Amino acid sequence: MRLSGLDDSETVLLKRHFTEANLSVLRALVEDTAASEGLAGVRLGEFTLAISEIADNAIEHAGGRGHLELRRLADELECRITDNGPGFTPAIPELLPGLDDTRSGRGLWLAHLVTDRLTIAAGATGAAVTLAMRLR
């Protein structure tokens, strides 16, 4: 599904609300869509895994649901995952959580490690995590 955005340099490829019940379908849709846009091999697997981790965080920590929007920009794929959870302090652990005194943050740590760009916007309620992978 291609939806025209306001900016000609971007195209919305996929928009979905998700819950735990349809997370596996979401993963497959993300992987198929990213592959059709030219992401391949290890980078395709890493992008899919990173998105899955962030979507799982929304399910586990933010009320059991979220929204995903996958876009094609000029030279990259960008995925934005939003939720309406209780909010959190956006911090990406420097070490794998569990190797230090922290227990949470593994999904963010992993997603940051394998993507080309990861940003977090969080407030008192809700969060938006944006991940991107360059198309090479």
Side-chain angles (χ1 to χ4, degrees):
M1 158 184 9
R2 285 190 181 260
L3 305 170
S4 289
L6 296 176
D7 183 348
D8 287 339
S9 66
E10 69 179 49
T11 303
V12 176
L13 303 170
L14 182 64
K15 286 177 115 174
R16 290 284 190 277
H17 291 283
F18 61 86
T19 65
E20 185 174 10
N22 63 1
L23 187 57
S24 62
V25 171
L26 183 74
R27 283 186 200 113
L29 287 169
V30 164
E31 185 172 37
D32 289 349
T33 303
S36 73
E37 293 298 314
L39 202 56
V42 170
R43 291 180 59 77
L44 174 61
E46 289 174 341
F47 191 56
T48 304
L49 175 62
I51 291 169
S52 178
E53 287 292 325
I54 301 305
D56 193 49
N57 281 353
I59 291 166
E60 183 177 344
H61 302 292
R65 68 177 70 111
H67 183 264
L68 175 142
E69 189 167 301
L70 181 61
R71 300 173 189 261
R72 166 75 186 255
L73 305 181
D75 63 348
E76 68 181 3
L77 293 179
E78 179 184 87
C79 182
R80 182 177 172 96
I81 296 175
T82 56
D83 65 57
N84 294 316
F88 68 103
T89 303
I92 300 167
E94 291 186 30
L95 291 174
L96 173 62
L99 295 179
D100 56 12
D101 292 338
T102 62
R103 285 292 197 214
S104 63
R106 288 181 185 189
L108 285 172
W109 178 84
L110 178 63
H112 181 258
L113 182 68
V114 302
T115 58
D116 295 323
R117 177 169 48 91
L118 184 140
T119 58
I120 305 167
T125 60
V129 178
T130 303
L131 311 100
M133 199 69 110
R134 285 186 304 276
L135 296 166
R136 297 181 188 191

